[in-house]
Amino acid sequence: MADEDETKEYRWESGYEKTWEAIKEDDDGLLESNVADLVARAKRKRAALKATGAIQLGMMRHLFVVVDASACMFLQDLKPTRFLCVLKLLEVFVHEFFDLNPISQLGILTTKMKRCEQITVLAGNQKTHIEALQQLKDFSCEGEPSLQNSLERAMNGLKNMPAHSSREILVLFGSLTTCDPGDVQKTIKALKDNNIRVSIIGLAAEVRICREIAKKTGGTYNVLIDDHHLKELILSQVQPPAVAGSIEASLVKMGFPGGTPNVNDGTCDSSADHAPAYCLCHIDSETSSLMGPNGYNCPQCGSRYCELPVECKQCGLTLVSAPHLARSYHHLFPIKPFMERSRVPDTAHCFACAKLFVEAETNVYECENCHQIVCLDCDLFIRETLHTCPGCASDPVTAQMKTN
């Protein structure tokens, strides 16, 4: 595989190609059918990437997002500027990330002036991260970035995370240079030893050290084409990655916070519910203040927190809510890929959306359990968003077999 990557030539190194010959007019002299064919081909490529079978995904993720805030982020090849475009797309990413990974945690870092600055700590509250991103719009971009300092800072926050969770770093890198204080190869080795996956999205051109970091840590490296492609690359990081190697299954102790417990007899005391207490999430910050009755109490030690999920700072228990686990269920048992087959004349419409099949749609997708036929758009929607086959869910017999 390494030899293939080294010998693979770039587009500008290949021979002369007549790319315009791929575009052909239909009988009416229009290009609509050709454009529709290109769109369908892109969708089929996405469906092929999704059809990976039953793989083990990282259910609990700890992710640091590193944003380049150097002087090059003021360039206007992305509108209005690179930095503002990235911040806007990151707001969408944070929302989608916690919607698909409700028991995961995310933190934000920036790098400029050869240093790395922490904007938000690892936390599971998307509101905190979105507000921090909105405040960064007035941030001044200056100096050079430091890729090594950013990776070291993120690694220090990830290396002590539990072994059953995935440790990831996503770097949005706009510069073509990096000013590092030491040997970056030692940092790459430390990242690999700590099982930290680094994925990098380049905003300018390909940088060799970025590709090397992503390759050696098991991440991905891509360079954007335009702002729409950048959005696709960022949102592609929402899906949990496959677990690297074989991790032995183990039970994880979790707590479901309830009311304020009475320390003496372990029961809930209504008078204690209104007792003021400091939130351990923000006890070290300057804005910390006494909380009212709205909070979550650790069932093991009684510590108060204002958000879930979180790891208790006193006893180390992971605190979650039941809806969080329910929304993460599809990561443990992903839906099986639908079988692609040729459409027969008897199949008139899609079972999911009831759309009539047109002549251009030669292939359809069939569930191997309920044998219902769906179109390509519904196949992607079921696997990316719904995570449940509508045919199996509407059939009482199949639904009962699935729950058992």
Side-chain angles (χ1 to χ4, degrees), residues 76-232:
Q76 297 182 353
D77 48 359
L78 297 176
K79 301 300 180 182
T81 63
R82 286 184 183 179
F83 191 65
L84 293 178
C85 180
V86 166
L87 293 181
K88 184 178 179 181
L89 293 177
L90 280 179
E91 291 184 27
V92 180
F93 169 77
V94 169
H95 177 75
E96 296 292 335
F97 178 83
F98 285 108
D99 184 63
L100 196 61
N101 308 273
I103 60 174
S104 300
Q105 296 186 6
L106 182 142
I108 301 174
L109 305 174
T110 59
T111 174
K112 68 174 185 177
M113 301 293 290
K114 308 170 188 176
R115 293 183 174 90
C116 179
E117 180 182 350
Q118 182 167 286
I119 305 301
T120 61
V121 297
L122 281 175
N125 189 351
Q126 62 172 314
K127 183 179 178 182
T128 303
H129 300 301
I130 292 178
E131 290 177 352
L133 290 172
Q134 292 174 348
Q135 293 176 0
L136 284 177
K137 292 180 179 178
D138 299 328
F139 201 65
S140 61
C141 299
E142 52 188 341
E144 288 185 83
S146 177
L147 196 56
Q148 184 182 18
N149 284 335
S150 303
L151 296 176
E152 292 276 359
R153 183 72 176 268
M155 182 172 59
N156 291 334
L158 292 173
K159 63 182 180 181
N160 295 322
M161 291 296 113
H164 57 263
S165 64
S166 65
R167 309 165 186 175
E168 306 167 51
I169 302 174
L170 173 61
V171 183
L172 298 167
F173 201 65
S175 177
L176 297 176
T177 60
T178 172
C179 186
D180 299 329
D183 186 4
V184 72
Q185 295 295 335
K186 295 181 179 179
T187 303
I188 297 175
K189 184 178 183 302
L191 290 167
K192 190 175 180 180
D193 293 340
N194 287 283
N195 293 323
I196 298 176
R197 185 196 313 260
V198 181
S199 296
I200 304 177
I201 299 176
L203 306 182
E206 181 171 323
V207 180
R208 185 181 183 277
I209 189 61
C210 293
R211 177 169 292 280
E212 184 177 351
I213 292 172
K215 182 179 178 181
K216 290 185 176 180
T217 59
T220 59
Y221 178 57
N222 295 282
V223 179
L224 66 87
I225 299 175
D226 52 19
D227 53 347
H228 298 288
H229 187 221
L230 176 60
K231 183 177 181 180
E232 291 182 8

Side-chain angles (χ1 to χ4, degrees), residues 258-273 297 299 302:
T260 304
N262 192 323
V263 180
N264 296 326
D265 56 7
T267 60
C268 288
D269 184 8
S270 59
S271 62
D273 289 344
N297 300 90

